[in-house]
Amino acid sequence: FLIEEGQDSFESECQCSIVLGSDSNESVKATRDDIIKHIDQTVEKYEVPQDTQHIVCHVDVNNEILTAMTVASPDIIESHIVNYETWPPQDGAIWEKGNLIRPLSSMYPDIPKQEIGLRIYQAVKDFLTTLYSHQFRRKDGILMQHTMIGIDCNHEKEEVMKAIRDLPFSTSIIPMYGQGIPAKDKPMMEKNYGPGCMKYHHCVNVPHRGYAMMNLVVDVNYFKKKVHEGWKTRPGWPGSIQLFPETRPGEHDVLIRHMLSEDPILDI
């Protein structure tokens, strides 16, 4: 029935599960309950499923904190969030960017507080080195490392790029930029980004002038919607997102609050 009639019909007729349409933000936007349902009790933090082919991480850069999330997936995307962390590490499960117990300026007291770029340069080098050293255990016991680490370069771009260049494993790091493509506009795959670019699914690799590396430009509107759809997709289905179980109560509260603050952008 699934093969002949498709997933929507299968969900409705065989699973008694009504799949909401995607004609409004409210029908697409995930809820707290949707995310909680995707906590996987079989894959612990720092573990990856047996069929994992890719382990990728994204680092977000702010003046006083860096945040990172690592996701494992087979070739057909089924995302397992296997780690997230901050630099500096924050005490407790609840924290906010505007009210940090341990900001970067306290971690690097020898760097003058007004020297934001220099502090971010050092923090990026230290945090990426820590992330690059992480090992993830596959279900059969094999140890794996990050396939690629992407880092936001929209803030303090030159200092972040310099930090990447100065690391011995810079080939495993890719600078990333978010770009919102309106629904009425052409998707990234149909745009002309000039010579040397490599187009992928709603993202494109473009050469960076002055640095011998590529930059990945991502359509954030498209992927915000896909994240919400991933939380609403039945766990185990292609496109779904899974989350490691909590080791302490409330561990996922900050993540959930952040996810639900990002509205999906409809491509209609």
Side-chain angles (χ1 to χ4, degrees), residues 1 25 32-33 55-56 114 131 135 169 173 175 183 216 231:
F1 189 95
N25 273 46
R32 181 183 181 87
D33 287 343
I55 302 176
V56 296
Q114 67 272 18
L131 292 171
Q135 292 185 319
F169 49 88
I173 305 169
L216 184 66
W231 292 125

Side-chain angles (χ1 to χ4, degrees), residues 43 46-49 135-144:
V43 179
Y46 294 113
E47 285 188 347
V48 298
Q135 292 185 319
F136 301 89
R137 186 175 299 276
R138 206 167 65 183
K139 295 300 287 185
D140 60 1
I142 298 296
L143 295 178
M144 303 178 70

Side-chain angles (χ1 to χ4, degrees), residues 32-49:
R32 181 183 181 87
D33 287 343
D34 290 329
I35 297 177
I36 294 297
K37 289 176 183 176
H38 282 70
I39 294 179
D40 186 351
Q41 300 299 328
T42 65
V43 179
E44 300 288 338
K45 191 174 184 179
Y46 294 113
E47 285 188 347
V48 298

Side-chain angles (χ1 to χ4, degrees), residues 18-19 30 41 45 53 159 162 207:
I18 303 301
V19 179
Q41 300 299 328
K45 191 174 184 179
Q53 294 294 319
E159 297 300 327
K162 184 175 184 298

Side-chain angles (χ1 to χ4, degrees), residues 51-100:
D51 58 357
T52 294
Q53 294 294 319
H54 312 280
I55 302 176
V56 296
C57 179
H58 180 267
V59 178
D60 193 31
V61 177
N62 296 272
N63 280 349
E64 291 290 1
I65 191 170
L66 309 182
T67 59
M69 175 180 287
T70 297
V71 177
S73 177
D75 281 331
I76 297 178
I77 295 178
E78 182 188 339
S79 303
H80 283 73
I81 297 174
V82 295
N83 180 43
Y84 54 79
E85 58 189 290
T86 66
W87 190 264
Q90 298 301 305
D91 298 326
I94 306 299
W95 55 271
E96 296 181 359
K97 289 182 180 178
N99 187 25
L100 297 170

Side-chain angles (χ1 to χ4, degrees), residues 210-226:
Y211 292 91
M213 62 181 73
M214 303 291 282
N215 293 180
L216 184 66
V217 185
V218 177
D219 180 357
V220 293
N221 289 347
Y222 173 82
F223 283 106
K224 281 181 184 178
K225 179 171 181 281
K226 299 307 291 184

Side-chain angles (χ1 to χ4, degrees), residues 16-27:
C16 298
S17 173
I18 303 301
V19 179
L20 297 173
S22 58
D23 58 347
S24 72
N25 273 46
E26 287 305 311
S27 68

